Each structure stands twice: as C-alpha cells, then as structure tokens.
Amino acid sequence: MKNIQTDSDYTELRKRILALSSSSPRKWGKMNLQQMLVHCTTQLKMSLGELPSKAQGPAYMRTRLGKWLIFSTIPWPKGAATPDEMNMEKNNFLLTEIENEKAELLRYLEKVKAEAKLFPHPFFGELSRKEWSRMIYKHLDHHLRQFGSH
C-alpha cells in the first residue's frame, strides 16, 4: 500500500497537490477546494499533536478489524465520517488563498514525514508511523480524487 514514507509516493502526492487550482472540479461532497486543503492539513496537525483530539467514533474502529478496513485497498466511501476536529461544518477555520493553503498542506506533509512519533488518531487510536503514513496517503488520495487530481 502506498504511503508518505516512500519517496515516489510522497513525490506523487506533492505533484497532485501542486496541480490543484481554482478550476479543479469538485466531483462529490460539500467542501470547496480551500476547505478540503484545510481539512487535510488539520489531520496532519492532529498527527503531530499540534491540534488536540479526543477519542470518538465507533469502538470497532480501534480494533484490528477497524484498522484493517482503513488500511485495506477498499476505497473510502464518499461522505465518510470525519473526526470532529477536522469537520468543516463544526469548526470555523480561517480560509486563505488556494496557493497559501496548498503551501501549508505541503509544509505539514513534510513535517509529518520527518516525525518519528505521532499522536493517536481520534477514530483509530494508537497508530505506528507506518500506519499513519499509509492512512495519510489514503486520506490525501481520497480528497485529491474528489477534486480531479489523480
């Protein structure tokens, strides 16, 4: 499975993020491009412990089955639940220019890639660096596809 620790996968994500523009078509969901970029950056901030989060979601998500589902090759469903801290409808995030949001996402992606120990995920609990790296790739891939960046 692809992950942000593999240089080619990391480079691929960077290129796909950089390719986004105001004309990138939203294929599903409610978020606009800026909101999606902030949503993804928020996940990275949570992984670094810069944004505190609390355990939430169904308990089975923190089991081996829940983790298998997230790390399997099964695509995430459109409209899947999101942790409260990342939910654009439950928070008033400051949105800036698309290029600023892309730069912020890339900055945090680099920080997370370099970090050895990451914080628990609100849905999945303790994750190894490898698990976080896989989940971050899968989450970014999901949202990049949402805006036509394959």
Side-chain angles (χ1 to χ4, degrees):
M1 176 181 264
K2 292 186 174 191
N3 72 80
I4 65 167
Q5 295 303 323
T6 302
D7 289 340
S8 59
D9 298 341
Y10 178 77
T11 300
E12 171 209 327
L13 285 176
R14 285 187 53 80
K15 286 179 182 175
R16 289 170 64 193
I17 292 166
L18 289 168
L20 294 168
S21 73
S22 59
S23 62
S24 296
R26 178 178 62 207
K27 295 186 173 191
W28 72 82
K30 298 177 185 175
M31 289 188 287
N32 64 34
L33 180 58
Q34 288 152 295
Q35 289 172 319
M36 180 276 284
L37 293 166
V38 170
H39 167 81
C40 291
T41 301
T42 302
Q43 179 197 38
L44 301 177
K45 289 178 178 180
M46 285 174 30
S47 75
L48 293 166
E50 291 184 19
L51 178 66
S53 64
K54 61 182 178 7
Q56 57 196 282
Y60 80 85
M61 301 281 274
R62 289 178 281 289
T63 67
R64 286 176 56 174
L65 172 63
K67 288 182 182 182
W68 177 83
L69 287 172
I70 195 64
F71 299 121
S72 73
T73 57
I74 300 168
W76 280 354
K78 296 169 183 154
T82 190
D84 290 343
E85 295 83 359
M86 296 169 57
N87 190 317
M88 296 307 293
E89 294 177 352
K90 293 183 179 183
N91 297 283
N92 285 327
F93 291 105
L94 176 63
L95 302 177
T96 64
E97 299 287 328
I98 290 170
E99 292 304 315
N100 292 342
E101 298 300 350
K102 286 169 36 177
E104 181 82 344
L105 176 56
L106 291 170
R107 195 168 30 258
Y108 270 93
L109 186 60
E110 188 172 331
K111 285 175 73 170
V112 170
K113 185 179 188 296
E115 189 62 41
K117 176 80 171 110
L118 299 169
F119 282 70
H121 187 277
F123 283 175
F124 304 104
E126 290 290 334
L127 298 174
S128 68
R129 183 172 183 240
K130 183 177 180 180
E131 289 171 329
W132 261 114
S133 296
R134 287 177 173 177
M135 185 177 53
I136 290 167
Y137 180 94
K138 192 169 184 177
H139 184 241
L140 286 170
D141 177 65
H142 172 78
H143 286 296
L144 290 169
R145 287 177 186 278
Q146 179 184 13
F147 284 88
S149 185
H150 298 271

